[in-house]
Each structure stands twice: as C-alpha cells, then as structure tokens.
Amino acid sequence: MRTERALNFNPGPAALPLPVLEQARDELLNFKGEGLSILEISHRSRAFESLVLETEKLMKEIMRIPPGYRALFLQGGASLQFSLIPMNFLPAGETADYIVTGSFAEKACKDAGQVGQVHLAANTKGQGHRRIPRQEELHFSPSPAYVHLTTNNTVYGTQWHYTPTTPGSPLVADMSSDILSRPLDVSAYAFIYAGAQKNMGPAGVTAVIISEEMLDRVPQSLPSMLRYDLHAKNNSLYNTPPSFGVYIMNLVLKWAAENGGLSRLEEVNRKKAALIYKVLDEYPDFYRGHAEKDSRSLMNVTFRLPSEELEGLFIQEAGKWNMTGLKGHRSVGGIRASIYNAMPEKGCRTLADFMEDFYARKG
Ligand SMILES: *Cc1c(COP(=O)(O)O)cnc(C)c1O
C-alpha cells in the first residue's frame, strides 16, 4: 500500500496534472456556485453549456486552431472514430489511404476496410514498427478520399517528426497519445482526433478537430449519432456528453496554458525524454530501445532488457522507487515509460537514475 502519490508511467488512462486533480477535488461538491456537483448538473444547464463552449475556445487558443474548424467532445473513444471516419468521409467508389505504423493505425485501417475501399500507402509492420516511413516511402493511390496517419505510436514508441505531403487529399490524424505535447500546424490537417485519457483528460471523452470542408462532406443518410455535422451544429450537446470528462479536459487545457502553452510543453517534453534516451544510448546492449533514433517518441519510451527475468525484476524494483505503470504493451513486451505532459521532469530523472543504478548492479 502506498501513502504518497506514485510516479505514474501508465500509457492511458495516464497521469493528470496534480493541480487539476486538486481543483476537481475542491470543486466536486459545488460546481461554480451551482450548489451541485459537476457530476449531478444538467447538460442543458447554462453553467454546463458555457463550460463546453469555453472548452472549445480554450482548445482553439492553445492549439492555435485557425478559423474554419470546430472542436467537438464525443464518446466512444478514439476507436469509434476508426469506423466513423470512413462512414463520414469515404464514399462508395473512392479509396482512402492508410499509413500503418503501429497497432492502432492497423486497427483504424481494418475498420475502414469494413466500410469501403482502403489502400496501404505504407506499412512498417515488416520492420517491427521501429520507425516512421520517409516521405519518399509513401505510395499513395491516385486520388485518395483522405489520408490517415497516427502521429504517435503508443505501443511501439515511435512518433512522426514531419507532416507528410499528400496528393492533395485531406489529412486525417489520430493524435491520441501526442496531442498538446508540441506546437502543431493544424491547417495541414482536415481532421484530428484523440482519446483524452493519454495527454488531455480522463477516459470517456474524445476530442475531434474538424474543418468546415469535412463537415460539409458528411452524408445526411447516416444515423444521427454517427454524424459529425450534427455534433458540431449542437456544440457537442446533441445528446448527453461525457460531462465530467469535458470538465477535466477544461482544467487540463487551462493548466497547459498556465504552463507556457505548447512550445514550452514541447521544450520540457524534449528534456524529459532525453534523460531516458541518454541511458539507452549509454548501455545499448543492456537497454535495447525499440524505436530507431530518428523516429523516437517523446511520449512513450520503449525498450527491452536482455531477458524477461530482468525485465520482471526491473519493474518490481522500480516499484520500490515509487514508480508504476512501466510494463510494456503485451504485444511488444519489455518496458514502456509513458511520459506525457503531466509527468514531471523529476519523474523522468528518477527513472533515469534508477536505470543507471539497475545497470550498475545487473549489467
Ligand atoms: C489509446 C489509443 C487509441 C485507443 O483509444 P480508445 O480511446 O481506447 O479507443 C487509439 N489510438 C491511439 C494512438 C492510442 O494511443
């Protein structure tokens, strides 16, 4: 049993900023003088409606979203978007291109294939998803309805460090595990989505950033809950939204702004990741990084040790250093340190120190 808060390296749901949790605790019984908890308030109340509108505004400000886009707060997770995207944007007779760089990209591609025709513009599976393809390795179909990519591969620990050029097609991106981690040219994308539970809030709310052009393409024949245009028209209040999740996301966005915005967060994230990658580079025969260097993720650091036995011991001893959530994804094994925005630099330093100590004893 722990009496103090642990250093949380979980991949998602993941660490939230402590000031956010503290404010949520302090306001839990009485939200903004309503005399009710945020958990009890009507989603049709003025207080809640202004919370949703404010959250959209905050998101636009912090991410510097240009005019002509909407930010929506939906349910169903990033995984539901895997099928909603082709249902909304892949008409019969057209092809959507997918760049498969990891397991979530693969799932997105598979679901799109259930809806319509897909083309693999690239697939790094044969190379163990260790790297992001270069622009010249992307082979698009003649005129894709859209091109889909996953900007950070949570399971494998790789991340795109450039925005690919498409044959004039809208770019659609799953940013579940790196949204808000660095500045972004949103105008390069027509559609961005992210489950909140990695870098932006709790499980249960999914953010969607969608251009007006994409909203115009939604087929009116779709059932209501599947239509992005209806959600936009109703300011994410078509039905009962994930109200607590929107509230926490609102607090996380304010926290991000107070902490210097995305440029500053990126600076800190680079510093944090460098502390851990430095140890991998010092002892490459012991700590075997999964990602190739130029594809390394600033959010999920993945590596193996020489044996599963050592990996088990590593995780067990890390627990004694008050660290948790370091076990790699079941499909890759090994160790994964998820170091999203809310992981303080101190946590990454502790992990790096522990890795040095562990190597000195077991290497
Ligand atoms: C976690 C994750 C998902 C799945 O999110 P859910 O909200 O559980 O559906 C999808 N894509 C990426 C990149 C993820 O990291």
Side-chain angles (χ1 to χ4, degrees):
M1 205 188 79
R2 284 191 168 94
T3 51
E4 59 173 325
R5 283 176 53 78
L7 293 166
N8 185 359
F9 291 92
N10 270 304
L16 284 163
L18 186 58
V20 166
L21 294 174
E22 286 170 341
Q23 186 175 344
R25 176 198 60 198
D26 293 346
E27 299 184 330
L28 188 66
L29 300 187
N30 189 349
F31 173 66
K32 299 212 162 153
E34 293 290 308
L36 303 173
S37 171
I38 180 69
L39 294 164
E40 304 169 298
I41 206 170
S42 166
H43 64 294
R44 300 289 172 209
S45 65
R46 193 170 292 234
F48 189 76
E49 198 185 354
S50 39
L51 178 81
V52 174
L53 294 175
E54 184 191 59
T55 309
E56 180 173 6
K57 189 164 157 272
L58 282 168
M59 191 135 180
K60 287 180 173 173
E61 283 168 9
I62 291 163
M63 292 186 66
R64 295 179 192 259
I65 301 176
Y69 286 82
R70 293 297 310 274
L72 311 176
F73 310 110
L74 309 176
Q75 303 195 48
S79 301
L80 184 61
Q81 312 311 310
F82 295 167
S83 47
L84 292 191
I85 288 163
M87 289 166 104
N88 279 264
F89 309 124
L90 179 52
E94 295 193 31
T95 301
D97 284 17
Y98 278 74
I99 307 174
V100 173
T101 51
S103 46
F104 288 115
E106 195 174 331
K107 285 178 175 166
C109 181
K110 182 162 171 278
D111 276 354
Q114 306 278 27
V115 175
Q117 177 128 338
V118 296
H119 165 80
L120 271 177
N123 185 355
T124 52
K125 192 171 189 165
Q127 301 138 60
H129 293 312
R130 287 174 190 275
R131 67 183 190 87
I132 298 301
R134 292 184 301 275
Q135 177 74 46
E136 62 270 24
E137 294 174 301
L138 306 175
H139 302 290
F140 297 109
S141 65
S143 178
Y146 61 84
V147 173
H148 180 284
L149 82 160
T150 310
T151 51
N152 185 72
N153 298 284
T154 324
V155 171
Y156 295 91
T158 61
Q159 187 176 24
W160 287 74
H161 297 296
Y162 73 99
T163 304
T165 307
T166 72
S169 311
L171 195 55
V172 172
D174 177 356
M175 296 195 183
S176 292
S177 50
D178 68 350
I179 195 162
L180 298 185
S181 72
R182 55 182 178 179
L184 182 73
D185 175 13
V186 174
S187 70
Y189 298 85
F191 188 102
I192 292 167
Y193 64 104
Q197 70 273 21
K198 274 116 192 190
N199 212 17
M200 210 165 33
V205 55
T206 305
V208 162
I209 297 164
I210 181 171
S211 72
E212 308 274 4
E213 288 83 38
M214 295 303 267
L215 286 170
D216 288 341
R217 286 171 58 171
V218 173
Q220 311 295 296
S221 56
L222 279 182
S224 309
M225 274 298 283
L226 312 184
R227 284 175 52 181
Y228 291 116
D229 61 333
L230 270 189
H231 289 293
K233 207 172 122 204
N234 291 279
N235 297 327
S236 303
L237 289 163
Y238 174 75
N239 72 324
T240 317
S243 45
F244 189 70
V246 173
Y247 161 72
I248 297 288
M249 194 191 280
N250 179 288
L251 298 183
V252 170
L253 288 166
K254 285 176 180 158
W255 172 86
E258 282 159 18
N259 281 271
L262 300 191
S263 314
R264 175 70 188 140
L265 285 169
E266 180 184 29
E267 229 174 88
V268 176
N269 286 331
R270 285 193 179 284
K271 223 166 136 189
K272 281 157 49 185
L275 289 167
I276 304 168
Y277 284 122
K278 180 168 169 277
V279 186
L280 297 196
D281 291 339
E282 267 168 4
Y283 314 111
D285 297 330
F286 190 72
Y287 294 121
R288 302 162 185 184
H290 184 78
E292 288 187 11
K293 276 190 189 178
D294 58 1
S295 298
R296 282 174 169 175
S297 167
L298 298 183
M299 298 278 98
N300 311 95
V301 181
T302 51
F303 54 96
R304 305 288 316 239
L305 271 66
S307 70
E308 285 190 13
E309 197 190 335
L310 277 171
E311 289 167 350
L313 192 63
F314 182 95
I315 288 163
Q316 194 194 335
E317 290 193 8
K320 294 187 194 137
W321 286 52
N322 201 30
M323 292 183 281
T324 192
L326 285 163
K327 195 166 168 35
H329 189 270
R330 59 191 182 279
S331 63
V332 185
I335 312 295
R336 169 173 52 178
S338 298
I339 50 173
Y340 305 117
N341 285 351
M343 167 60 69
E345 190 180 323
K346 189 188 107 203
C348 294
R349 203 172 288 284
T350 303
L351 176 58
D353 288 348
F354 167 69
M355 288 168 74
E356 292 277 3
D357 178 84
F358 193 82
Y359 176 80
R361 288 181 292 111
K362 307 284 176 189

